[in-house]
Amino acid sequence: MSGSVALTVDKLRLAAATYPRLLVLGSSALATLLFVLRLRATSKRKKSKGPYVENLAALANKQYDVVIVGGGTSGCVLAGRLSEDPSIRVLLLEAGGSGTVLPYSRIPSGYGRLLRSEHAFNFETEPQVNAQGQQRYFPRGKMLGGCSSINAQMAQYGAPGDFDEWATLMGDESWGWRSLQKSFQKFERVLPHAEYPEMDGSERGTEGPVRVGYFNYVSEHSKAFLRACEQVGIPLIPDFNTSKGPIGASRVCVFLGFLAVTVTYVDSKGVRVSAESAYLTPEVLARPNLTVAIHATVTKILFDETGPTPRAVGVEFAKSATGPRYSVKARKEVVLSAGAIHSPHILMLSGVGPEKQLKAHGIPVVLDVPAVGANLVDHPVVDMYFKDKKNDSMLPMRNPKSLSDIAILTRSLVQYQIWGTGKLATNIGESAAFVRSDDPKLFPPAEYPRTLADSTSGATSPDLELFCTPLAYKDHGNFTWDFHTYALHCYLVRPESRGAVLLKSADPFALPSVDPNYLANPDDLEKLFRGFRLILKIAHTKALEAYIDHKNTDPTLDHATHTKSDEEIRQIVKERVETVYHPTSTCRMAPVEQGGVVDARLRVYGVEGLRVCDASVFPWIVSGHTAGACLAIGEKFAEELKREIKARK
Ligand SMILES: Cc1cc2nc3c(=O)[nH]c(=O)nc-3n(C[C@H](O)[C@H](O)[C@H](O)COP(=O)(O)OP(=O)(O)OC[C@H]3O[C@@H](n4cnc5c(N)ncnc54)[C@H](O)[C@@H]3O)c2cc1C
Ligand SMILES: *[C@@H]1O[C@H](CO)[C@@H](O)[C@H](O)[C@H]1NC(C)=O
Ligand SMILES: *[C@@H]1O[C@H](CO)[C@@H](O)[C@H](O)[C@H]1NC(C)=O
Ligand SMILES: *[C@@H]1O[C@H](CO)[C@@H](O)[C@H](O)[C@H]1NC(C)=O
Ligand SMILES: CC(=O)N[C@H]1CO[C@H](CO)[C@@H](O)[C@@H]1O
């Protein structure tokens, strides 16, 4: 009894001694934070909130040439580019609000806070039958810019072979890398950086609206990760030195940056570059022929079914499930850019999809297209957690616990506010490496005897990506440790498992079912297992010795995982596998008989006046990050549609 009283008195004394300092520091941190948030929010709001239409009634029954459904990554590109032609009247309808007014979208490290918020569609997947039956959180951005407003800002686009495969499939060279590269260059404005002179930009765009460069904060840990990769035999290829090298392997390597500090969609002021911030600038929004409406959820596409072929003639939309529904006419085209989950969802709600499913939900069938929502493919990731030996992680940004944490947070806030640098400017996914699961140097056949089907897009394309983050997290940030951690991650860039997006209800405001069907193909598990083993090897290199505390015995960390059996590791992969946020291919561009929903000009087969342009049209998932290709296909399609509309006049 007396002991506990003494303890309490001691605690009080300690609290009395520390609280004033805590309060002072805490309130200074809070003040700085509020200052940053207010300043950044209001300066932007003045410029960009005004031009967005929020009164949906004002749009009712109006006519446009092109109606774009979804103001996400591809949708913003289309709106910006199509409205360059003053003779085309464009309407963009976006379910969410503006992303550029949200501080957690603008600050590169802030996006974790937008997950599970009202600014995301917060899916839980169907139980993953090959991954211990678990349901997994699965977010999609719900705001202008779409996922480009909440993504990790890693500007790596895949491998040239990915796009060459698209060209071969469609028999259309315009989709091949050599041609599509122009569309990548069209969106890019590569910014030089003193620390990385090898990025000379000679094969990159320099005039586009999307600024890419090396302006994110990079921790010492991430630099050490690159050295660690070298120590296990992954060659460090200076990124993007594309000058005059031979075409084949060297260009591929350069494009991929087999191992590199990631180039990011972060500008020289340390602010995220989203499709909204890049394409919906005040000058663009001032165009009389462009209308951008926010908080406008498209509930269905309207068809004229009087002719021999159904024709999309407009869309219906609403602010909320119970609010009034409005409609607008599209004189020339309706373009779906609602992303890999919502584009097939909207098609189904509109009567274009698998007949049986539509009928089960009482939706009148316009056209039976079994491939709508099928072929869902996503990159499955597994994470490994370690104790950060340097105690220099992102922990104070998330969860400041001590005076020194608060001091670090305050310093970071000030640094970010004044220079746009410091820990807050990290994109979290700071460096990455790409490897092949059949590389005999990394996976000696004696140790890994199974021959796996080659799912890559070519001899110089990868099937695994490794990356590191200056903080370990579980469940997409729902759980973090209360001490300093470091994490290594591995994901499969060319999975062969396929899932589906299915209707759960005819209510357009109810989320559809999402089943990425992780690990359905046994080779996927084997490749991830190899990646996991490689990561463990990297974690135990000399280069990471100073950064990872392998003496730590916390059972929730992976310091002893390398001692586990292959079978145990496979179980860990199944237990941890989840989305790295790259779903694609639910409205595939492919010949009809190969599960195609759209043709090479992104026209939905079997109907007129309807296109799809977003990640859902990727014939196969790219061997890397997906936002770049969404921007590029937006550029490509906008150019073609402008030309097409002109020719029709
Ligand atoms: C957390 C996270 C991290 C990621 N990290 C990276 C990365 O580092 N690098 C990278 O390259 N890629 C990354 N990605 C993936 C990449 O951002 C996406 O693949 C890409 O942005 C998708 O673009 P999209 O145009 O297909 O769809 P989206 O950008 O998702 O756009 C779809 C838009 O449609 C709107 N919409 C949906 N339904 C309706 C409706 N009924 N009516 C009106 N509007 C509607 C949505 O609100 C959204 O704005 C990440 C994604 C996430 C979620
Ligand atoms: C980049 O390319 C130039 C010209 O080909 C070459 O001289 C230089 O060594 C290269 N730099 C790196 C870092 O590879
Ligand atoms: C890191 O923090 C732990 C306590 O959590 C402490 O034991 C260790 O000495 C610290 N290491 C460094 C390098 O500060
Ligand atoms: C976060 O994790 C807790 C505990 O595991 C869980 O109960 C909760 O549902 C999770 N929160 C969300 C929003 O998923
Ligand atoms: C098709 C259309 O509405 N065009 C209008 C675009 O804006 C100009 C003014 O800049 C009008 O003159 C056009 O009629």
Side-chain angles (χ1 to χ4, degrees), residues 65 86-89 288-289 331:
D65 293 311
S87 73
I88 304 178
R89 282 192 80 185
N289 296 323
R331 283 187 297 239

Side-chain angles (χ1 to χ4, degrees), residues 502-553:
L502 302 174
L503 277 177
K504 275 207 288 217
S505 152
D507 172 6
F509 286 86
L511 296 179
S513 131
V514 169
D515 182 7
N517 206 9
Y518 298 127
L519 310 181
N521 184 308
D523 279 6
D524 286 2
L525 174 61
E526 185 60 22
K527 288 170 189 168
L528 270 177
F529 161 76
R530 290 185 184 188
F532 199 100
R533 277 273 185 231
L534 181 60
I535 284 277
L536 287 171
K537 208 163 151 190
I538 289 168
H540 289 271
T541 53
K542 189 129 191 66
L544 282 174
E545 219 168 49
Y547 298 90
I548 297 184
D549 181 8
H550 287 302
K551 291 213 179 69
N552 191 291
T553 53

Side-chain angles (χ1 to χ4, degrees), residues 387-391 483-484:
K387 169 71 181 71
D388 166 22
K389 209 174 191 174
K390 300 252 183 210
N391 295 342
F483 49 83
H484 287 273

Side-chain angles (χ1 to χ4, degrees), residues 56-185:
L56 303 188
L59 304 175
N61 306 318
K62 291 219 162 140
Q63 297 201 6
Y64 298 86
D65 293 311
V66 179
V67 176
I68 303 161
V69 178
T73 312
S74 299
C76 286
V77 181
L78 292 175
R81 291 302 188 188
L82 290 173
S83 63
E84 284 174 346
D85 180 339
S87 73
I88 304 178
R89 282 192 80 185
V90 179
L91 172 66
L92 176 65
L93 295 167
E94 165 53 40
S98 168
T100 55
V101 302
L102 303 174
Y104 287 132
S105 177
R106 290 166 60 74
I107 300 172
S109 60
Y111 56 94
R113 308 253 174 189
L114 295 170
L115 305 181
R116 296 193 167 90
S117 78
E118 61 182 307
H119 305 293
F121 292 100
N122 297 302
F123 291 88
E124 293 287 331
T125 66
E126 293 301 311
Q128 295 301 287
V129 295
N130 300 293
Q132 305 184 344
Q134 300 184 80
Q135 289 188 272
R136 289 301 195 180
Y137 179 61
F138 188 101
R140 301 277 86 202
K142 184 185 181 183
M143 66 187 96
L144 283 170
C147 288
S148 78
S149 297
I150 62 165
N151 72 14
Q153 301 143 100
M154 296 167 83
Q156 188 276 346
Y157 310 146
D162 299 342
F163 306 103
D164 293 341
E165 258 188 340
W166 297 11
T168 306
L169 177 73
M170 300 314 293
D172 181 335
E173 269 316 307
S174 71
W175 288 103
W177 169 244
R178 202 175 264 283
S179 171
L180 201 59
Q181 191 179 16
K182 292 188 202 82
S183 304
F184 280 93
Q185 286 166 345

Side-chain angles (χ1 to χ4, degrees), residues 116 124 137 474-475 477-479:
R116 296 193 167 90
E124 293 287 331
Y137 179 61
K474 280 186 180 181
D475 196 14
N478 185 20
F479 174 83

